[in-house]
Amino acid sequence: MSSSQHAPVIFGKQRLTIEDVVEIAKGQRKAQLNDSSEFQNKINRGVAFLETLLDKEGVIYGVTTGYGDSCTVAIPTSQVHDLPLHLTRFHGCGLGNNLTEEQSLAVLATRLCSLSQGMSGVTPELLNQLVTLINEGIAPRIPEEGSVGASGDLTPLSYVAAALIGERECYYKGELRPTESIFAELGIQPIKLQPKEGLAMMNGTAVMTGLACIAYKRAEYLAQLCTRITAMVSVGMQGNDFHFDESLFAVKPHPGQQQIAAWLRKDLDAERPPRNSDRLQDRYSLRCAPHVIGVLQDSLPWLRQLIENELNSANDNPIIDGDNERVLHGGHFYGGHIAMAMDTLKTAVANLADLLDRQMAQLMDYKFNNGLPYNLSGASGETKPINHGFKAVQIGISAWTAEALKGTMPASVFSRSTECHNQDKVSMGTIASRDCLRVLQLTEQVTAASLLAATQAIRLRERQGELDASQLSAGLKSMVEAISSEFPLVETDRPLEAELRYFISAIQTAKWSLY
């Protein structure tokens, strides 16, 4: 990691990137608030304006009124300070699996970024409490189910709000513990939520956006790794390098597609023996690989724009404009852009699984693989008939791909009217983000299996005397060596689950530098 990556992420100073959030989530960088007087004054002006309104008994949604459809219920001044606590507690009804520690920390960073815009009326104490949780690695336990993605991620974010005041549970150093005991151990004082702060913490898009940041980086790496695997499969299949010719791709100028083709040319830039096939055109899963992977590659820039605009937005309600002393009631909690981004991303990613699935079907079928053994088995001699190589793995690839493709149903079209028909059109952005992460997991499983199979194919070509390591480009040679150092050739049948799990984890941590 470079020295610049070790520097803390400064909140409230400039736009944050997806990488900033992911690096915080992985514990690679700390969080820090902008220490300029300009930033501090902006935060304080919002707080002071709210206090002035309360003194005048002004009507402020979620501060002097109930929430949602209960906005017509006036809250007596004597109970205004108790209202945020009730908001956090009645939303403590999340279900499903808990977010991982990494995902929870991404949510903290995302919410801190939004509140640091200075348009939410929160106190410096709340912002500093979020910084403390991030820097101490205290990850609130957040159940993943219960948000419809408009009026924000209310229920999952209630678990973050509860952590700030020392309630519920958090993960700390890999252990789930009561927040109160973690705070006592570290000398952290719970804060008391001020009148607008329960709503400011919960009425936003931090969960879906934090998950989207993580999903984006995983997808970005998969585009590169699937390109590398395609090159390996092409070598293993004795495919046609000219399918990726630069002049060919000049006439269809999608820049991402051209980038994938360029990476393939680089990986296939080596002299190899004559092909054992008279097939002029490879099947589509090789020939059209840049056109499949290129869709994802070309989508990444505008997906980044959607995600980073949401990340750097004030997205609660109401917006508190302390500079102009205005309370702006609206719907910035609506997660439609993240919903669309995640529905799009999961479709592009699932197509990678489908591409690799088709490549693997060719690679392991003796009728199509140009002379490789059945199922890529490395067995020889009298035990050859009883060994089955990657047969079951290929079935698994098919199963994981089918499930990934099933998961591409767009969540954003399943709006539901809820909360007494106040929330009568909602984004489903958090469900879309969760769906995308599931599709990514399945595609990473397909990718890990395909990487091992492609490595096996190249090594079998070498063993059969049809290929020499010197005939591989530097990128492919390095990749085959790296995988082979941790994955022995499958000669005699053995359970591959543990090895598959290891390489899935390696993919998710972007273990190999690619392009």
Side-chain angles (χ1 to χ4, degrees):
M1 186 181 298
S2 69
S3 58
S4 64
Q5 288 176 301
H6 283 298
V9 176
I10 309 298
F11 288 78
K13 185 175 183 180
Q14 57 195 19
R15 281 175 63 91
L16 263 60
T17 65
I18 289 169
E19 287 73 18
D20 291 330
V21 172
V22 172
E23 287 163 7
I24 283 177
K26 292 180 178 295
Q28 296 170 347
R29 297 175 73 185
K30 300 292 187 181
Q32 182 178 313
L33 289 178
N34 185 351
D35 60 4
S36 72
S37 58
E38 180 183 4
F39 172 75
Q40 294 171 2
N41 289 339
K42 184 176 181 64
I43 296 298
N44 290 331
R45 282 194 297 271
V47 176
F49 170 54
L50 276 178
E51 290 174 348
T52 300
L53 279 181
L54 283 173
D55 289 342
K56 295 179 179 178
E57 297 188 21
V59 178
I60 311 169
Y61 167 73
V63 178
T64 61
T65 75
Y67 300 111
D69 186 64
S70 301
C71 65
T72 57
V73 177
I75 305 299
T77 304
S78 61
Q79 296 180 14
V80 162
H81 286 272
D82 294 327
L83 186 61
L85 186 60
H86 282 260
L87 178 66
T88 66
R89 287 179 174 170
F90 81 76
H91 270 289
C93 56
L95 293 177
N97 296 326
N98 297 323
L99 299 186
T100 66
E101 291 179 66
E102 178 183 318
Q103 292 167 349
S104 179
L105 290 170
V107 170
L108 292 183
T110 303
R111 197 75 207 120
L112 178 58
C113 185
S114 178
L115 299 179
S116 296
Q117 306 303 311
M119 302 299 290
S120 300
V122 300
T123 61
E125 288 75 19
L126 183 144
L127 298 177
N128 281 309
Q129 190 81 324
L130 282 169
V131 170
T132 297
L133 262 61
I134 289 170
N135 290 345
E136 294 292 343
I138 301 171
R141 181 183 70 83
I142 305 175
E144 67 179 13
E145 297 174 6
S147 173
V148 293
S151 203
D153 289 317
L154 290 168
T155 290
L157 283 176
S158 77
Y159 289 79
V160 177
L164 299 181
I165 61 177
E167 295 189 358
R168 301 187 202 171
E169 306 88 22
C170 291
Y171 293 98
Y172 180 61
K173 296 184 176 179
E175 182 182 358
L176 183 62
R177 295 169 51 186
T179 307
E180 184 180 20
S181 73
I182 299 171
F183 280 15
E185 178 182 321
L186 299 178
I188 300 170
Q189 292 297 317
I191 65 170
K192 178 178 174 60
L193 294 174
Q194 297 305 304
K196 169 66 168 51
E197 290 185 334
L199 197 59
M201 276 302 307
M202 295 165 51
N203 197 4
T205 59
V207 175
M208 67 180 82
T209 305
L211 298 182
C213 289
I214 291 172
Y216 180 97
K217 291 303 293 182
R218 285 167 64 178
E220 182 182 55
Y221 187 71
L222 273 181
Q224 297 184 27
L225 185 54
C226 288
T227 303
R228 173 60 52 85
I229 292 170
T230 295
M232 296 169 70
V233 172
S234 182
V235 171
M237 288 278 296
Q238 298 181 334
N240 295 284
D241 297 0
F242 56 70
H243 289 319
F244 314 119
D245 182 83
E246 185 173 7
S247 297
L248 173 64
F249 279 86
V251 302
K252 193 171 185 182
H254 296 294
Q257 179 177 277
Q258 290 176 325
Q259 179 65 79
I260 301 302
W263 284 338
L264 285 168
R265 286 195 300 275
K266 182 177 180 181
D267 277 348
L268 296 171
D269 184 21
E271 292 293 331
R272 278 180 291 280
R275 299 173 62 245
N276 183 31
S277 172
D278 58 1
R279 188 179 180 93
L280 179 62
Q281 294 189 142
D282 291 331
R283 292 174 177 84
Y284 285 14
S285 60
L286 283 180
R287 194 192 338 161
C288 299
H291 308 76
V292 177
I293 306 172
V295 172
L296 171 57
Q297 191 70 20
D298 274 309
S299 298
L300 290 175
W302 73 268
L303 292 174
R304 177 184 287 276
Q305 180 188 50
L306 294 183
I307 296 167
E308 289 185 347
N309 278 346
E310 190 70 34
L311 170 64
N312 290 282
S313 70
N315 48 63
D316 57 313
N317 176 55
I319 295 298
I320 306 301
D321 182 0
D323 292 344
N324 298 297
E325 297 190 342
R326 300 178 67 196
V327 178
L328 306 171
H329 295 89
H332 284 355
F333 48 67
Y334 197 90
H337 285 80
I338 296 298
M340 181 58 66
M342 292 296 96
D343 279 348
T344 300
L345 186 60
K346 70 188 182 187
T347 300
V349 167
N351 264 295
L352 300 189
D354 199 35
L355 178 76
L356 294 179
D357 174 52
R358 297 297 83 213
Q359 291 179 3
M360 292 304 106
Q362 287 191 65
L363 195 62
M364 297 180 202
D365 191 331
Y366 73 96
K367 297 186 295 296
F368 305 111
N369 64 18
N370 295 332
L372 287 169
Y374 289 50
N375 301 304
L376 299 181
S377 173
S380 59
E382 61 182 19
T383 64
K384 185 175 180 179
I386 63 172
N387 283 281
H388 295 80
F390 280 73
K391 179 185 282 288
V393 172
Q394 200 261 324
I395 296 171
I397 288 171
S398 184
W400 305 323
T401 298
E403 187 173 346
L405 295 171
K406 182 174 72 71
T408 60
M409 174 70 74
S412 54
V413 299
F414 284 92
S415 176
R416 311 284 295 167
S417 183
T418 187
E419 204 258 310
C420 301
H421 298 293
N422 175 52
Q423 300 177 19
D424 62 347
K425 172 61 178 168
V426 294
S427 77
M428 297 298 180
T430 311
I431 295 174
S433 290
R434 287 172 37 225
D435 284 349
C436 187
L437 289 172
R438 177 58 180 160
V439 170
L440 277 161
Q441 173 68 38
L442 290 161
T443 303
E444 286 158 349
Q445 292 171 194
V446 172
T447 304
S450 299
L451 179 61
L452 300 186
T455 301
Q456 175 95 352
I458 289 175
R459 295 185 65 195
L460 288 173
R461 288 288 186 199
E462 292 174 343
R463 195 176 73 173
Q464 292 173 185
E466 299 171 322
L467 183 69
D468 186 86
S470 65
Q471 296 166 321
L472 297 176
S473 66
L476 292 197
K477 182 179 180 182
S478 175
M479 196 78 193
V480 171
E481 289 175 350
I483 305 305
S484 297
S485 69
E486 300 182 286
F487 181 71
L489 191 71
V490 179
E491 297 178 300
T492 300
D493 288 343
R494 66 177 189 263
L496 295 176
E497 178 190 346
E499 289 160 292
L500 285 167
R501 290 187 184 276
Y502 172 82
F503 281 97
I504 293 164
S505 178
I507 290 169
Q508 291 171 344
T509 56
K511 180 174 181 175
W512 307 285
S513 296
L514 296 169
Y515 302 106

